[in-house]
Amino acid sequence: MSGYSASYILNGSEVEVAVETDIPEIALVDIDMPGMDGFEVARNLRRGPLTKDVVVIAFTAFDEIAILDNAIAAGFDGYCQKAQPLDRLLQLLDGLIA
């Protein structure tokens, strides 16, 4: 879709294992995930020598104001609310990886 290939992980705890074999350019991370929340996932990606430069976007139902301080502290590069049209996410992605 729009030139992106995608894979998904349903549990935050499984991210570390998944990125050992397939380092993404972009990670869309939900905040409310089982096993490990999105803030911890983002912090772990930032700490990893191979994943520290991955573009990390909070893709969540939470309002931006509700998560902004924690998202900045965790190292997110951007935010997109799930209820927004897909075009908004694609514009954000294009702007962050251009």
Side-chain angles (χ1 to χ4, degrees), residues 2 80 84-94:
S2 296
C80 187
Q84 298 298 317
L86 182 58
D87 288 348
R88 201 144 206 209
L89 174 60
L90 294 174
Q91 288 172 352
L92 175 63
L93 293 175
D94 288 344

Side-chain angles (χ1 to χ4, degrees), residues 12 16 35 39 45 48 50 54-55 58 60 63 65-66 88 93 97-98:
E16 189 173 328
F39 300 119
L45 289 171
L50 299 176
V54 170
V55 173
T60 182
D63 183 71
I65 302 228
R88 201 144 206 209
L93 293 175
I97 61 169

Side-chain angles (χ1 to χ4, degrees), residues 29-31 36-44 66-67 70-71 74 76:
V29 180
D30 195 354
I31 299 302
M36 180 186 302
D37 71 22
F39 300 119
E40 187 64 24
V41 169
R43 284 190 290 273
N44 288 343
I67 67 158
N70 288 330
F76 281 95

Side-chain angles (χ1 to χ4, degrees), residues 12-66:
S13 302
E14 297 171 4
V15 172
E16 189 173 328
V17 172
V19 298
E20 287 178 3
T21 57
D22 188 17
I23 300 168
E25 289 181 57
I26 303 164
L28 298 178
V29 180
D30 195 354
I31 299 302
D32 190 20
M33 292 188 293
M36 180 186 302
D37 71 22
F39 300 119
E40 187 64 24
V41 169
R43 284 190 290 273
N44 288 343
L45 289 171
R46 289 291 175 241
R47 280 187 226 128
L50 299 176
T51 58
K52 64 182 175 53
D53 296 323
V54 170
V55 173
V56 183
I57 298 171
F59 187 62
T60 182
F62 289 108
D63 183 71
E64 185 174 13
I65 302 228

